[in-house]
Amino acid sequence: MQRITCDVLVIGAGPAGLAASIAAKQEGAEKVLIVERDESIGGILQQCIHPGFGLSYFKEELTGPEYYARFADKTLELGVEVLLNTMVLDITDEDVVCISAKDGLSIIKAGSIVLAMGCRERTRHQLTIPGSRPSGVFTAGTAQRLMNRENAMIGRRVVILGSGDIGMIMARRMTLEGAKVIAVVELNDYLAGLTRNKVQCLDDFEIPLLMKHTITDIKGRKRIESVTVCEVDANNIPIPETAVEYPCDTLLLSVGLIPENELTHKAEIDISPITNGPVVNQYMQTSREDVFACGNVVHVNDLVDNVSLESERAGQYAAKYALGKLKKREDVIQAQPGRNVRYICPQQIVNAEDGGEINLYFRVAGPEEKVRILVKTGDKVIVQKKALRVNPGEMEHMRFDAREITSPDLTVEVMKEAI
Amino acid sequence: MEKIVICTVCPIGCNITVREENDELVITGNQCKRGLTYATNEYLHPVRILTTTVKVHGGDQVLVPVRSAEPLPKELLFSAMDLIRDLTVDAPIHRGDVLINNILDTGIDIVATGEIKC
């Protein structure tokens, strides 16, 4: 067993962990250590070979590997240490326990901890689709890993359930590799992912998108042979008369992501039932004052650019905490979702009178057109903007200074614009 | 001829109509200048960045991710894939290495976006 001491410990070397570790170093933390269970750094971006990253952060269009490389280079340059092939088992009150095949158990004592474990995909079992249990049913991200990193062509006739970004990106990827994507099937009447991906991944290749449809049966003995697709009614209940059976050898599921918070739960850190991630304040600090969190472990993001920005904040304040420079939190204000707002992140603002930029990220509950977004405290509107269209698949954000919060409440609401 | 272009420049996603009238493009439905440029290019000559993978011989990974250094004409994507699919490269490979020079005489290179060690 080895004992390690560090100022800031970051769990996970994906985009969130890399950005947090860099910011922690830049803030003055001397020893910053990342623990990563994979054999290499970069996280999910290693398999996201497509472009579309960095448009807001770097003002240029990069692929996933190019995007994380810029952060990886910086960690190297700044002397961030990385423990690969190492899995964190437990965060106790005193230290962090991790294990690797090479070193066995390690006990890490850290001045502060940054949770950057990311998320994982929802699977068929969480949807309860009836039918047999053949092979050929993949989550879209697993399919992406198999094709982009392991050189496996996973199928030739593909149906995709869910219009999430990874599903649409895999529709294009498989088409380019010679597969026939029969349809993308979406339960809701709005897109789960970004419009950009519908245009460039589906429309470009004339792949049909069936809105208000779902899969009601999976048939096949060894390998999947067909799926049954039904239209759904206003309550999302399948209409049996509309059933169509599509022969296929592959079904991809792109039906949502779940923040990976087993460690957070075990450490008894408060978790939001809506985001399924830790509740954080504007410093990305969790209910345990020495534990910070960032990226998809907090809430699932659409754009890695936002993850990088949020994670820099987590790393910066984790370093401040470790160096004894972070003021005790007082006057906790809860940010309340108002009309047509599903959740807000960060959920809490502390020490508002000290000022500092607040960047509230939020998602709407349902799609709407011609709206006004307002951030309010007491009777005062702090900041507002018009939006032509809002969609649950595209995260919104509002920026203002903490000093503007003059009452002990904060609400974000989306109002229909009077015409 | 008329074509509806969904603008992907920003999240608003305007539905822009492009119509040809007396050899001139009439563009409506855009809300900004960038949308005008996007719709014009989409109508006259749509281009896309192509990303895929190339097989690697003797590396620590079996595939290296690649991209077209610049966007390729959309109609050439499948022909470009046919060429890239037949290629195998030897490790080591560095990010930015040109793996196919001037693909399909477009003047555009296919470059590695990942690092592969031996």
Side-chain angles (χ1 to χ4, degrees), chain A residues 221-243:
Chain A
R221 284 178 62 79
K222 281 191 164 160
R223 179 83 184 190
I224 182 170
E225 285 157 17
S226 75
V227 293
T228 305
V229 174
C230 270
E231 209 177 316
V232 297
D233 65 16
N235 300 314
N236 288 346
I237 307 295
I239 307 165
E241 305 80 72
T242 62

Side-chain angles (χ1 to χ4, degrees), chain A residues 66 173 176 204 388-389, chain B residues 12 31 48 52 67 85:
Chain A
E66 291 171 308
R173 182 79 188 106
L176 284 171
D204 269 9
L388 262 174
R389 202 170 298 147
Chain B
I12 294 174
Q31 295 184 42
R48 297 286 184 267
T52 179
R67 68 178 286 174
R85 200 177 293 117

Side-chain angles (χ1 to χ4, degrees), chain A residues 140-370:
Chain A
T142 299
Q144 189 182 43
R145 185 185 164 97
L146 288 168
M147 286 192 67
N148 293 351
R149 294 191 68 190
E150 297 177 20
N151 200 19
M153 184 61 187
I154 57 164
R156 295 285 163 193
R157 282 184 67 83
V158 189
V159 174
I160 300 176
L161 177 62
S163 61
D165 289 315
I166 318 169
M168 294 195 281
I169 284 162
M170 283 311 293
R172 170 176 63 188
R173 182 79 188 106
M174 294 200 70
T175 305
L176 284 171
E177 290 292 0
K180 168 82 185 156
V181 178
I182 300 157
V184 174
V185 179
E186 168 60 51
L187 180 71
N188 290 308
D189 55 1
Y190 56 86
L191 200 66
L194 304 173
T195 311
R196 187 173 80 199
N197 285 330
K198 176 184 173 287
V199 174
Q200 296 186 358
C201 300
L202 305 185
D203 299 354
D204 269 9
F205 301 98
E206 292 167 1
I207 296 168
L209 172 62
L210 306 175
M211 295 288 204
K212 293 297 276 178
H213 280 72
T214 194
I215 290 178
T216 53
D217 195 12
I218 295 173
K219 289 201 184 95
R221 284 178 62 79
K222 281 191 164 160
R223 179 83 184 190
I224 182 170
E225 285 157 17
S226 75
V227 293
T228 305
V229 174
C230 270
E231 209 177 316
V232 297
D233 65 16
N235 300 314
N236 288 346
I237 307 295
I239 307 165
E241 305 80 72
T242 62
V244 179
E245 192 173 334
Y246 290 98
C248 61
D249 61 20
T250 305
L251 171 63
L252 299 189
L253 303 174
S254 179
V255 289
L257 301 166
I258 311 163
E260 196 154 328
N261 274 300
E262 282 69 18
L263 285 172
T264 325
H265 272 289
K266 263 170 89 181
E268 296 183 343
I269 288 166
D270 290 351
I271 295 212
S272 154
I274 300 170
T275 57
N276 292 313
V279 173
V280 291
N281 61 29
Q282 76 266 37
Y283 310 136
M284 303 310 289
Q285 186 180 29
T286 69
S287 60
R288 208 180 112 171
E289 62 175 11
D290 61 336
V291 178
F292 296 73
C294 54
N296 284 351
V297 82
V298 178
H299 63 138
V300 175
N301 284 257
D302 345 307
L303 300 175
V304 72
D305 302 59
N306 290 339
V307 169
S308 298
L309 288 172
E310 178 185 282
S311 305
E312 283 168 356
R313 208 149 10 100
Q316 182 192 356
Y317 285 97
K320 277 189 201 285
Y321 182 90
L323 299 168
K325 287 186 193 163
L326 188 61
K327 204 176 135 183
K328 271 246 168 277
R329 47 189 168 184
E330 286 163 359
D331 307 321
V332 180
I333 294 167
Q334 305 289 341
Q336 295 292 347
R339 185 190 171 276
N340 197 17
V341 174
R342 194 161 72 89
Y343 76 83
I344 304 168
C345 182
Q347 294 90 346
Q348 300 176 342
I349 308 295
V350 296
N351 306 346
E353 72 279 10
D354 293 350
E357 188 188 84
I358 302 291
N359 216 336
L360 289 183
Y361 288 96
F362 65 95
R363 282 187 197 279
V364 296
E368 221 169 20
E369 285 186 9
K370 294 198 179 70

